[in-house]
Amino acid sequence: MLLELAQWIAQHVRGFSVFNYITLRTVLAAMTALFFSLAAGPWVIRWLAAKKIGQAVRTDGPRTHLVKSGTPTMGGILILIAVAVTTLLWGDLSNRYVWTVLVVTLGFGAIGWYDDWKKVVYRDPNGLASRWKFFWQSVLGAGAALFLAFSTDNPSQPEFTLIVPFFKSIAYPLGIAGFVALTYFVIVGTSNAINLTDGLDGLAIMPTVMVSAAFCVFAYASGNVEFAKYLLIPHVPGAGELCIVLGAIAGAGLGFLWFNAYPAEVFMGDVGALALGAALGCVAVIVRQEIVLFIMGGLFVAETLSVMMQVSWFKYTKKRYGEGRRILRMAPLHHHFEQSGWKETQVVVRFWIVTIMLVLFGLSSLKVR
């Protein structure tokens, strides 16, 4: 909206043409989302508390988390509103990638909202049944994959190639079917991975901010033909505009962290975690950096694998020996370290440090080839 206004004014006042620069609008988007989150945060928290929308703590979790019961949850609504409003203000609304990511983000957020609502209304820590949650995630993930696959003008473009980072000429053609399958798994997988990570105060949101900020670099470079050619990455026309969405996510995430830092005044809930994960997965697919997302989001991957390994081993040993056994003290991984004696703040900060290193490693793939 503001971009169109600035472009109209630029016809009469040349100085307003500066708003055509993606870099400036990315900074403005991040600042707008940050200030919106900081300003609206207290009101949202009071509203959630007044409606008695409090966290229902899982009964099989760490005993130290029982004191968090009743803390306002569904705070991810604050992030989604900030991202949506900011994107509409500063983004190019004629860009199909912007709308794709925005629709996917809000769609997964709606699934998370209903899941959280069931937890709050029925006081059921399990929320929406897993099969229904997965079904609606699949509908949205497959829908986004099909749209991205069939909205391209040239099937030979890099949209249908799996790029291997750190190598100049290693890439695997996927075809339309392979691209749709990969896109589906990346979007749905990342969504659930961040949801599993969101178990401690500030644990999930800060790594999300870091990865979002790092992907701004990839999106901008992919959208610029000269930078893409120089860095040997796929040129995806229009991908640079995704910097606005990513900047909004980073800014809104930092604003939310102000209230989510230990001891948290509000929790993100599935409404935020599912949406942010889907957004990052969708962006990674568009700029053809799925493996880089796997690297930079290594914390999310580790958390997911820890749950898969724990559940699989428990079921196998129960079937084989008649008694379920565990690999970790508790899953996801952050609970294992809590049960091993780490304080909650230690787990969070140390996982942030690991994410910083992984993000820097992922960024290095831009030049190390």
Side-chain angles (χ1 to χ4, degrees), residues 117-311:
W117 187 255
K118 287 202 67 175
K119 293 176 182 177
V120 171
V121 173
Y122 299 105
R123 300 296 175 183
D124 179 9
N126 298 318
L128 179 64
S130 298
R131 64 180 182 276
W132 286 111
K133 184 189 295 185
F134 181 71
F135 171 77
W136 289 113
Q137 287 179 321
S138 298
V139 170
L140 286 172
L146 290 170
F147 174 79
L148 290 173
F150 291 100
S151 63
T152 182
D153 298 324
N154 183 7
S156 65
Q157 288 182 349
E159 281 91 334
F160 303 104
T161 304
L162 177 63
I163 307 298
V164 179
F166 301 106
F167 295 93
K168 289 183 179 180
S169 57
I170 299 182
Y172 298 97
L174 299 172
I176 293 181
F179 171 80
V180 170
L182 178 64
T183 301
Y184 165 80
F185 283 114
V186 170
I187 293 176
V188 176
T190 309
S191 176
N192 286 295
I194 292 185
N195 193 36
L196 288 172
T197 306
D198 185 30
L200 302 179
D201 297 353
L203 178 60
I205 190 61
M206 191 58 185
T208 301
V209 169
M210 296 179 196
V211 176
S212 297
F215 260 103
C216 277
V217 180
F218 284 95
Y220 184 78
S222 296
N224 187 296
V225 63
E226 296 297 331
F227 287 167
K229 182 179 179 181
Y230 174 72
L231 295 172
L232 301 176
I233 61 176
H235 171 52
V236 183
E241 201 64 30
L242 291 175
C243 291
I244 311 304
V245 184
L246 292 167
I249 291 175
L254 286 176
F256 178 78
L257 180 61
W258 183 272
F259 307 103
N260 186 235
Y262 182 87
E265 300 176 55
V266 64
F267 297 137
M268 181 159 52
D270 288 7
V271 62
L274 291 179
L276 294 177
L280 290 181
C282 193
V283 170
V285 168
I286 292 172
V287 299
R288 310 309 309 131
Q289 298 296 336
E290 300 90 349
I291 297 180
V292 171
L293 175 62
F294 184 87
I295 294 171
M296 295 196 298
L299 171 62
F300 308 136
V301 175
E303 294 274 19
T304 304
L305 290 178
S306 69
V307 174
M308 295 173 62
M309 292 169 57
Q310 185 88 324
V311 173

Side-chain angles (χ1 to χ4, degrees), residues 46-65:
R46 287 195 298 269
W47 182 82
L48 292 172
K51 297 296 182 180
K52 301 186 184 302
I53 302 179
Q55 178 71 21
V57 178
R58 51 184 282 196
T59 56
D60 58 341
R63 307 301 298 176
T64 55
H65 286 207

